[in-house]
Amino acid sequence: MSAELFDITIIGSGPAGLYGAFYAGMRGMKTKILDSLPELGGQLVTLYPEKWVYDVGGFQKILAKDLAKSLIGQAMTFEPTVCLAEKVTSVKIHDETGTRSFEICTDKGSVHLTKTLVLTAGIGAFKPKRLDAPGVREFEGNGVYYFVKEKKIFHDKSILIVGGGDSAVDWSLNLLDIARSITLIHRRDQFRAHEENVRELMNSSVRVMTFHELKSVRGNGRPEEAVVFDNRSLEETTLDVDCVLLNIGFHADLGPIKEWGLDLDKGGIKVNYRMETNIKGIFAAGDVASHPGKLKLISTGFGEVATAVNFAKNFIDPNAKVYPGHSSDMRELSARKRQN
Ligand SMILES: Cc1cc2nc3c(=O)[nH]c(=O)nc-3n(C[C@H](O)[C@H](O)[C@H](O)COP(=O)(O)OP(=O)(O)OC[C@H]3O[C@@H](n4cnc5c(N)ncnc54)[C@H](O)[C@@H]3O)c2cc1C
């Protein structure tokens, strides 16, 4: 075992993981964050960066990407080690020396050593569900998108949105102020979205084509046309489009984490009131953690990860209090940066 040993390794850099990294730094722990994505922020930056979030304490409303930026800034206060684009695959427990440590392996082939682990892996490593219609792959990232990273790329564009869930309906409404035109196609006539938003959609200028599916995307260098068909009559319609936004859901899977011998419950990882799993030294918080009364919200994830980190601190140093005291009583927080 030659890799550097950390006090705490946080797997997943969504809101829970980022806040956990800050908290661990505040508790003087040598901290590492690992994420399979190439950037920090989890669902906030990957799934809905340009949506408003209204229910995080301290902000009347904040764009998801700005919340992520603020969390990243706070998480970096104590300069944790950050490893991105590395999917955690396996963990080995070492108890040989009498002091437990964990050896984490990733799909990059690297090994990370840590005394405790906090799993804030959310809904797992996620990938959008892809559509295999002709032209889709060809224009992916260049007119065909699965996520809205930046609203401005849709400015003054004729957009075809595919899907019938919250994302498809929300983006149809959300892009209306900047798009030239929006057509939404959905393969059924029932939407899996908030009723009020569906009502707003039906009263908006979005052209809604139910029982329609995407057949192909055509263009020269960029999409110019999309062929859609009525799945009852098979009648085809050609639409002039500049971009296609595919919001047909995503696969999220805890993948190899499920094989670690952790007790699972409703697809999540079972934790006790300390946010501790059945494996001593491994904690879980945020969307991935399962306990009675669980609410999958950003705000609850913050509380859960603070609990996990404080108990992790006590796990590696039983003399350390679980309760950290008030941060407002700590003088010069930034001066308490980890000294390596
Ligand atoms: C469209 C939408 C709107 C939402 N709006 C709100 C809202 O208004 N208010 C609210 O409170 N909540 C909202 N949510 C829910 C909120 O985003 C989640 O509750 C929150 O992101 C959970 O945070 P987390 O840190 O637990 O996990 P996530 O944000 O899911 O982050 C988990 C991270 O773990 C990483 N990961 C997973 N597996 C591995 C692995 N094996 N190796 C390495 N890394 C891994 C992932 O790549 C990801 O970055 C919304 C969700 C969606 C989809």
Side-chain angles (χ1 to χ4, degrees), residues 41-299:
Q43 294 180 47
L44 293 175
V45 297
T46 314
L47 299 184
Y48 58 108
E50 305 246 359
K51 285 184 83 169
W52 291 107
V53 176
Y54 299 92
D55 57 350
V56 170
F59 298 100
Q60 282 185 325
K61 66 173 190 173
I62 183 165
L63 283 175
K65 66 178 180 186
D66 292 338
L67 178 60
K69 198 168 161 197
S70 193
L71 283 163
I72 293 166
Q74 187 184 33
M76 294 306 128
T77 310
F78 301 101
E79 298 166 3
T81 297
V82 177
C83 303
L84 295 174
E86 283 198 55
K87 182 175 166 187
V88 170
T89 51
S90 64
V91 71
K92 249 190 240 162
I93 304 172
H94 291 283
D95 278 329
E96 304 86 6
T97 57
T99 312
R100 174 161 284 201
S101 67
F102 299 92
E103 186 182 324
I104 304 163
C105 295
T106 71
D107 61 354
K108 258 194 179 170
S110 47
V111 172
H112 305 265
L113 299 181
T114 187
K115 296 180 190 170
T116 59
L117 253 168
V118 178
L119 294 169
T120 48
I123 47 178
F126 38 79
K127 285 195 189 126
K129 281 188 188 157
R130 293 194 136 71
L131 201 74
D132 241 349
V136 166
R137 211 167 279 260
E138 182 188 342
F139 296 116
E140 211 175 296
N142 185 28
V144 172
Y145 307 98
Y146 286 95
F147 297 117
V148 178
K149 281 275 182 197
E150 286 181 299
K151 261 178 91 168
K152 64 176 186 229
I153 61 171
F154 296 95
H155 188 258
D156 202 29
K157 298 281 194 286
S158 296
I159 312 169
L160 171 67
I161 300 182
V162 182
D166 277 313
S167 293
V169 172
D170 283 3
W171 281 122
S172 298
L173 295 170
N174 224 306
L175 294 172
L176 209 48
D177 57 336
I178 57 158
R180 191 172 338 127
S181 69
I182 299 184
T183 302
L184 172 70
I185 60 165
H186 178 37
R187 62 188 166 151
R188 287 191 271 273
D189 64 345
Q190 297 294 314
F191 288 86
R192 283 169 291 100
H194 286 134
E195 263 174 47
E196 210 170 293
N197 292 348
V198 176
R199 213 171 301 124
E200 196 181 331
L201 173 79
M202 294 307 182
N203 290 323
S204 73
S205 58
V206 174
R207 179 182 181 191
V208 179
M209 300 172 77
T210 51
F211 295 109
H212 275 76
E213 298 181 38
L214 182 65
K215 182 164 186 202
S216 63
V217 182
R218 300 194 292 233
N220 198 358
R222 289 192 63 84
E224 289 165 3
E225 288 179 347
V227 180
V228 300
F229 67 97
D230 186 315
N231 57 21
R232 297 161 300 182
S233 64
L234 301 184
E235 189 188 334
E236 294 185 4
T237 308
T238 301
L239 305 167
D240 288 338
V241 298
D242 302 304
C243 336
V244 178
L245 177 61
L246 297 160
N247 281 150
I248 52 174
F250 50 87
H251 298 285
D253 191 9
L254 280 181
I257 295 175
K258 282 191 201 146
E259 319 298 321
W260 293 4
L262 294 161
D263 283 348
L264 302 176
D265 179 33
K266 294 179 194 137
I269 298 167
K270 221 168 162 177
V271 289
N272 60 20
Y273 72 93
R274 300 172 174 156
M275 305 309 293
E276 189 179 38
T277 69
N278 58 309
I279 301 179
K280 294 273 171 228
I282 302 187
F283 298 79
D287 276 12
V288 79
S290 176
H291 57 80
K294 173 74 188 185
L295 295 176
K296 288 188 184 179
L297 289 171
I298 296 163
S299 54

